[in-house]
Amino acid sequence: MEDFDYYEILEVAKTASADEIKKAYRKMAMKYHPDKNQGDTEAENMFKKVNEAYQVLSDEAKRSNYDRYGKAGLGGGSQGAGFGGFEDFSDIFDSFFGGGQRASRREPRENLDVAAEVHIEFLEAIFGCKKEIKYRYDKQCTVCDGTGSKTGKRESCPACHGKGQIYQKQGFMTFSQTCHVCRGAGSIIKDKCQKCSGIGKEQVDEKFSIDIPEGIDDGNRLRVAGKGSVGKSGNRGDLYVIVRVKEDRVFVRHDDDIYVEVPVFFTLAALGGKITIPTIRGEREIEIKSGVKDKEHIVIKNEGVSNVHSGARGNMIVQVKITYPKKMNQEQEELLKKLHESFSHNHGNEPHHNVFEGVFEKVKSWFKN
Ligand SMILES: [Zn+2]
Ligand SMILES: [Zn+2]
């Protein structure tokens, strides 16, 4: 089996959100789809890889195992490429060959990774911040030392006679099933520990501060190594911090670009001129060209968010909103009437002829973005 990185194949960052992974998968699957690349073995190979990567990265548990241990963490060993679950494969294998040592000794894999959410403000995500994370993890019960038993003793499971598997013979074949009484352990606890009710674990509340990097976005995950639950052998899983970013009243963020709607008074839209607008880094003056249209976009390069990985800045997109006076005094109304008449006499600039142009512009703008 060829070795390749699942994140690289989908062209996403290791911190990518579930949504970003889904989008990337759709894009890649479309690109390499066999219908579009008939007879192209290279594309076919890529299509398989993209599917394999998505199988793993779209599953929270598989993804965290992959993050920690690579492909070895997926339990498939070197045969890796299966499309279904890797665990299922070994189950099928066991049931065909009647269990054997491998099955009876197999214990459910400990998942020691923990997830926590942190809520931050819009600008905190853009410029980075320090935040306190509060979360809960498991460790072995201190009373029973993780055994779940008062005396620390376990006894052989009466349902499976200590094998952990129940066997059924059908014709030539013997099928095995994990014992539902001991869940495959082969032994049960007789006198349950009072502190943990036989679970063998206790919960610990923890809090500490983490640095949230500049440019982080809603749904991104930060991995803090060694802050997860404590396993039987004393090893610790990881903590995954999922970042939730609040919306802003003024700005809208899309990836590393910032959108803002700016009111432009109709006389200024006609004449052109300078206006002051808010940006994420403070106020700034921009030039409005004469004849600017409603909903027109003015792009200010490099005034967006610094990308969390590359540091490259996105753009700021200013959308013009042409505003009109709610009320006019007599003098203003007369001035406007005079202006209107002066255009009506000047051929080629008749306002009535241009009514439909405005309508079409608006309809077109519905399809932008
Ligand atoms: Zn206990
Ligand atoms: Zn049993």
Side-chain angles (χ1 to χ4, degrees):
M1 197 54 213
E2 211 181 325
D3 200 39
F4 59 93
D5 186 274
Y6 289 153
Y7 291 98
E8 276 173 22
I9 217 83
L10 292 182
E11 293 179 5
V12 292
K14 287 206 158 60
T15 51
S17 66
D19 218 45
E20 287 172 317
I21 286 171
K22 201 184 217 170
K23 267 189 209 150
Y25 167 67
R26 275 206 207 116
K27 192 178 124 198
M28 291 309 199
M30 208 97 104
K31 185 175 171 188
Y32 296 114
H33 198 281
D35 288 351
K36 276 194 181 172
N37 302 278
Q38 277 181 8
D40 185 350
T41 48
E42 182 65 25
E44 195 191 337
N45 192 23
M46 283 301 287
F47 186 66
K48 278 182 191 158
K49 286 181 182 176
V50 163
N51 274 298
E52 186 187 327
Y54 185 64
Q55 286 282 338
V56 173
L57 299 187
S58 62
D59 181 315
E60 197 61 36
K62 281 183 191 164
R63 182 180 177 183
S64 83
N65 278 340
Y66 176 70
D67 285 346
R68 295 173 65 204
Y69 305 115
K71 283 183 195 171
L74 300 172
S78 54
Q79 81 252 27
F83 271 52
F86 300 100
E87 311 235 9
D88 298 346
F89 184 80
S90 62
D91 283 345
I92 291 164
F93 188 87
D94 289 344
S95 63
F96 269 110
F97 297 94
Q101 287 185 324
R102 207 159 63 96
S104 59
R105 289 284 156 254
R106 210 152 51 92
E107 274 188 41
R109 199 171 287 120
E110 266 185 306
N111 183 12
L112 301 176
D113 291 338
V114 176
E117 275 192 355
V118 63
H119 294 260
I120 62 175
E121 300 293 333
F122 187 80
L123 289 177
E124 287 180 327
I126 291 172
F127 297 111
C129 59
K130 216 177 172 77
K131 278 281 150 175
E132 188 170 77
I133 310 293
K134 283 183 187 164
Y135 71 108
R136 194 167 266 191
Y137 67 87
D138 289 334
K139 66 168 195 168
Q140 305 300 299
C141 172
T142 43
V143 172
C144 63
D145 213 16
T147 61
S149 156
K150 224 185 257 176
T151 53
K153 276 181 192 145
R154 296 177 74 91
E155 61 180 44
S156 184
C157 173
C160 62
H161 309 290
K163 289 196 177 73
Q165 299 278 315
I166 306 280
Y167 298 98
Q168 258 183 317
K169 220 174 147 77
Q170 274 182 18
F172 299 108
M173 298 230 249
T174 303
F175 293 93
S176 75
Q177 232 183 350
T178 303
C179 172
H180 57 92
V181 175
C182 63
R183 294 202 188 110
S187 59
I188 54 162
I189 296 153
K190 213 189 165 194
D191 46 346
K192 284 181 182 171
C193 165
Q194 276 176 327
K195 187 168 185 193
C196 65
S197 318
I199 296 160
K201 284 173 185 165
E202 65 182 70
Q203 293 190 314
V204 186
D205 287 312
E206 188 164 316
K207 57 180 180 183
F208 66 92
S209 291
I210 65 163
D211 286 314
I212 294 176
E214 182 182 8
I216 202 106
D217 206 352
D218 186 57
N220 285 167
R221 307 187 316 162
L222 295 166
R223 181 178 152 231
V224 189
K227 285 283 189 185
S229 291
V230 183
K232 286 196 181 89
S233 47
N235 53 322
R236 250 188 116 166
D238 299 328
L239 168 67
Y240 285 89
V241 179
I242 297 143
V243 180
R244 298 283 174 221
V245 183
K246 285 184 198 151
E247 287 187 358
D248 191 74
R249 269 188 329 114
V250 177
F251 304 112
V252 173
R253 179 173 171 182
H254 183 255
D255 295 334
D256 295 329
D257 294 333
I258 295 289
Y259 287 75
V260 67
E261 189 181 66
V262 171
V264 175
F265 200 59
F266 78 116
T267 49
L268 183 75
L271 296 168
K274 286 186 169 136
I275 56 164
T276 301
I277 60 153
T279 78
I280 52 174
R281 294 176 183 85
E283 289 187 339
R284 109 174 237 173
E285 209 172 56
I286 61 162
E287 181 84 34
I288 299 289
K289 288 203 184 89
S290 150
V292 71
K293 293 191 172 65
D294 191 46
K295 293 201 167 66
E296 191 170 317
H297 285 177
I298 300 164
V299 177
I300 309 171
K301 289 231 176 267
N302 304 320
E303 195 53 86
V305 180
S306 296
N307 185 275
V308 70
H309 305 293
S310 68
R313 272 199 200 169
N315 299 327
M316 178 155 172
I317 293 104
V318 178
Q319 178 167 292
V320 171
K321 185 190 178 170
I322 296 180
T323 58
Y324 298 89
K326 286 198 182 87
K327 254 187 187 172
M328 277 186 277
N329 62 31
Q330 215 176 346
E331 194 196 343
Q332 288 164 330
E333 214 174 302
E334 267 158 27
L335 279 169
L336 208 56
K337 270 183 191 157
K338 266 186 203 162
L339 180 69
H340 183 79
E341 276 158 20
S342 84
F343 275 117
S344 300
H345 294 305
N346 180 359
H347 291 285
N349 271 318
E350 291 164 51
H352 297 295
H353 281 213
N354 290 333
V355 165
F356 284 106
E357 190 194 313
V359 174
F360 288 129
E361 278 309 312
K362 262 182 205 150
V363 174
K364 261 196 279 175
S365 72
W366 295 344
F367 300 103
K368 281 178 188 165
N369 291 320

